[in-house]
Amino acid sequence: MRNRRLSTQILVSQLTILVATVLVGFALFAHEERGHLDRQYRDRALAIAWTVAGIPTIREAMEYGDSANAVQSTAERIRANSGAAYIVVIDMNRVRHSHPNPALIGQQIEEPLAVLDGKGHTGVDPGSLGPSANGKAPIYGPSGNLVGEVSAGILERDVDTALAHERPVFALYFGIALALGILAAYLLARRLKRTTFGLELHEFATLLQEREAMLHGIREGVLGVDEAGRVTVVNDEARRLLGLHTIALGRPLAELLPAGRLRDVLTGTLGGPDETVLTDEYCLVVNRMPVCLQGRRLGAVVTVRDRTELVGVLRELDSVRGLTDALRAQQHEFANRIHTLAGLIELGDQAQALAFITELSARQDTDARSIRERIGNPLVAALLLAKQAVAAERGVTLELTAESVLGEAPDRSRVLLTVLGNLLDNAIDAGRAVQLDLVEDPAGGITVRVSDDGPGIAPDAAARVFQDGYTTKQPRGPLRRGLGLALVQRVVTQAGGTVRVRPGPGAQFTVLLPPAEVTVG
């Protein structure tokens, strides 16, 4: 059995169970039918006894005497006509007045009379002729007195003969049922073979072991769903990245994840390879592929990769590249100024050279001092100086409004750097003039407003600009577009603040951060 194919094992097992069930059923049915025949023949014997007990000749002879031997002749005639094995008429002294064996007439029976209660009785009588289905009825004389008993019996071998005549019919029925069961078992085995793609039991075990080793051995999240969207496979990495801390197997994704872009990508509502999705903790790259096997759709497999650190590094690299370009431009500008200064010295115009140096130094000090006097946080001030250099290199004017003022705000440096960095980058890319309004009110709340003179945000796109993956820019290197504003909204929301966009020509983004004591993130 161990070396047989799975379909053969299933077929043999089903046939064994089916044959055993049919045989047991046949035996039980034959036993029940034998009991039914026994009851039927006992009732028949009782009916014969009641018939004999009601014959007037028998009644008169038993009460007034049987001078003409009428009881024996009448009982034997009825016995021959009814097919009974014996009809015995007994008086109140337990003396036989009729019997198939005349030698027993006039002798007493051993057992007491059973009809003293005036009722009929049935049972199995061992009897002198052999075991029989027996019926006993009381005899009442013409005067109404109980005068005797009629005992009629049908031999058990007659019951066996009747049962033997019925057994071929029963065997035929059970044979047909067995043949149909064998056919059904064969068809079921073939269907199971197709359903399991012809795989054997040891192959199932090997596949299961390989699947478990693969799922929990890889560093990517793997999620399998069926055609109905229910989770069928999930590994530990997928649970961690997607936050599936509850029992996920067998449950629809719509119940496990809140409404949003992540659920839309996982369920296939939003299609496309390597979709980037932002959650509260991670930047994920999600790839959903449908699964088909032998032309049948089985669902889909979703891979989830954590790209949080990589995206952060790429964005920092992009910022460094922008600063590098700005420094390169400043290097050229500085070289031009050195050449000018060298020319003045070579011409011997020392006074003009000194005035030129003083003017350049005053201009640089003025720009840095203007930002540092109004921006108390050194990290934010350094970021604004760097963004001014980037903007100047690209021919864009970045102006910090006169109303701008910010204290140290050390606990919100991370939020401000993310917000300002992304909003200023977008504004510098979009327009030629950028204005930043950065105000901290006396209560500790901070308002950040970045405006540009670019084409702005279309009214129908205002609700989508904060979705991760939405962008109108062309790709630049490996950096994924469409994450900046989504990051802004995420960090602002975690900090308990709000972010708004004004549609129309010239985009304007306004961020409101609450005082530090109500900050959430």
Side-chain angles (χ1 to χ4, degrees):
M1 177 70 75
R2 185 173 298 176
N3 295 327
R4 292 177 180 173
R5 297 178 64 85
L6 175 61
S7 57
T8 304
Q9 295 184 38
I10 294 174
L11 179 59
V12 171
S13 300
Q14 288 179 325
L15 291 181
T16 302
I17 295 173
L18 185 60
V19 171
T21 303
V22 168
L23 292 178
V24 172
F26 181 78
L28 293 176
F29 188 83
H31 178 74
E32 180 64 24
E33 184 64 19
R34 173 57 188 265
H36 174 72
L37 287 175
D38 282 338
R39 291 189 297 271
Q40 182 180 350
Y41 274 70
R42 286 196 295 267
D43 292 341
R44 179 181 169 188
L46 179 60
I48 294 173
W50 277 112
T51 301
V52 174
I55 297 175
T57 302
I58 300 294
R59 295 173 63 193
E60 292 175 359
M62 292 303 294
E63 184 171 6
Y64 302 121
D66 185 12
S67 58
N69 200 20
V71 174
Q72 172 67 3
S73 61
T74 302
E76 285 299 301
R77 185 178 68 252
I78 295 176
R79 183 183 67 84
N81 293 332
S82 64
Y86 62 85
I87 296 177
V88 180
V89 180
I90 309 166
D91 61 18
M92 296 301 293
N93 294 320
R94 297 187 288 121
V95 176
R96 299 184 181 95
H97 288 255
S98 68
H99 197 280
N101 185 2
L104 297 178
I105 297 176
Q107 296 183 11
Q108 282 188 329
I109 62 174
E110 296 178 358
E111 68 272 8
L113 296 179
V115 297
L116 295 178
D117 57 358
K119 299 178 181 179
H121 295 270
T122 61
V124 178
D125 183 14
S128 60
L129 300 177
S132 62
N134 180 260
K136 297 178 180 180
I139 304 174
Y140 292 92
S143 63
N145 295 322
L146 181 64
V147 295
E149 174 186 273
V150 177
S151 177
I154 302 174
L155 294 178
E156 286 291 321
R157 61 174 174 263
D158 294 340
V159 180
D160 294 336
T161 301
L163 181 62
H165 289 158
E166 294 182 2
R167 279 175 180 167
V169 179
F170 300 155
L172 177 62
Y173 291 155
F174 279 98
I176 294 174
L178 180 61
L180 293 177
I182 292 174
L183 178 61
Y186 174 73
L187 295 177
L188 178 60
R190 290 191 58 185
R191 180 179 179 183
L192 288 176
K193 183 177 180 180
R194 291 195 303 268
T195 303
T196 58
F197 304 103
L199 297 177
E200 301 302 321
L201 290 177
H202 67 279
E203 294 175 320
F204 280 123
T206 302
L207 284 177
L208 179 60
Q209 294 173 355
E210 292 176 351
R211 192 196 75 165
E212 291 299 315
M214 178 192 68
L215 285 178
H216 300 287
I218 61 179
R219 294 294 302 274
E220 293 185 357
V222 177
L223 189 72
V225 295
D226 59 15
E227 277 292 279
R230 294 184 296 265
V231 177
T232 57
V233 175
V234 59
N235 67 349
D236 296 337
E237 185 68 4
R239 292 180 184 275
R240 181 182 72 86
L241 296 176
L242 301 178
L244 301 178
H245 303 299
T246 59
I247 299 176
L249 292 178
R251 298 180 59 186
L253 283 173
E255 296 180 3
L256 299 172
L257 298 171
R261 176 176 168 81
L262 177 61
R263 190 174 77 178
D264 292 341
V265 173
L266 291 178
T267 57
T269 304
L270 293 178
D274 293 340
E275 289 286 339
T276 302
V277 180
L278 281 178
T279 67
D280 291 340
E281 299 180 13
Y282 306 106
C283 177
L284 305 177
V285 177
V286 181
N287 192 14
R288 188 180 191 274
M289 294 295 293
V291 176
C292 296
L293 190 58
Q294 294 185 357
R296 289 189 295 169
R297 295 182 62 88
L298 303 180
V301 173
V302 181
T303 57
V304 183
R305 289 168 285 172
D306 184 6
R307 291 295 182 265
T308 306
E309 295 183 0
L310 178 60
V311 170
V313 170
L314 289 175
R315 297 191 69 82
E316 291 180 4
L317 180 61
D318 186 65
S319 299
V320 171
R321 183 182 294 111
L323 291 175
T324 302
D325 294 340
L327 290 175
R328 185 179 296 110
Q330 288 183 341
Q331 178 186 3
H332 290 296
E333 181 65 20
F334 181 76
N336 292 333
R337 292 172 181 176
I338 291 297
H339 294 158
T340 302
L341 181 60
L344 291 174
I345 294 175
E346 186 176 353
L347 293 175
D349 193 348
Q350 288 83 0
Q352 187 64 34
L354 180 61
F356 182 69
I357 293 175
T358 303
E359 179 184 358
L360 291 178
S361 176
R363 186 186 308 167
Q364 296 293 335
D365 290 341
T366 300
D367 292 340
R369 189 182 306 109
S370 174
I371 292 178
R372 195 67 181 89
E373 288 176 353
R374 287 179 288 171
I375 306 301
N377 189 302
L379 296 177
V380 176
L383 176 66
L384 294 181
L385 285 173
K387 293 301 180 184
Q388 278 190 338
V390 172
E393 188 271 333
R394 298 184 184 178
V396 178
T397 302
L398 174 57
E399 177 188 359
L400 181 66
T401 63
E403 295 80 10
S404 296
V405 60
L406 177 68
E408 293 289 339
D411 52 343
R412 283 172 288 180
S413 297
R414 180 182 63 84
V415 177
L416 287 173
L417 291 176
T418 300
V419 170
L420 289 172
N422 286 282
L423 292 183
L424 289 176
D425 284 343
N426 289 343
I428 292 172
D429 290 340
R432 308 299 297 175
V434 178
Q435 187 177 68
L436 170 62
D437 191 19
L438 180 59
V439 179
E440 182 178 15
D441 58 43
I446 298 176
T447 301
V448 179
R449 184 175 291 108
V450 177
S451 308
D452 63 65
D453 60 349
I457 305 297
D460 58 345
R464 293 181 291 155
V465 293
F466 296 108
Q467 293 180 0
D468 45 319
Y470 178 84
T471 182
T472 58
K473 301 178 183 179
Q474 295 296 323
R476 186 172 71 234
L479 182 65
R480 291 185 178 274
R481 291 294 191 177
L483 296 180
L485 293 178
L487 285 171
V488 169
Q489 186 184 50
R490 189 182 74 177
V491 298
V492 170
T493 302
Q494 289 178 343
T498 60
V499 54
R500 300 191 306 269
V501 58
R502 184 190 67 187
Q508 183 182 89
F509 289 86
T510 302
V511 175
L512 301 177
L513 295 176
E517 57 267 22
V518 298
T519 299
V520 179

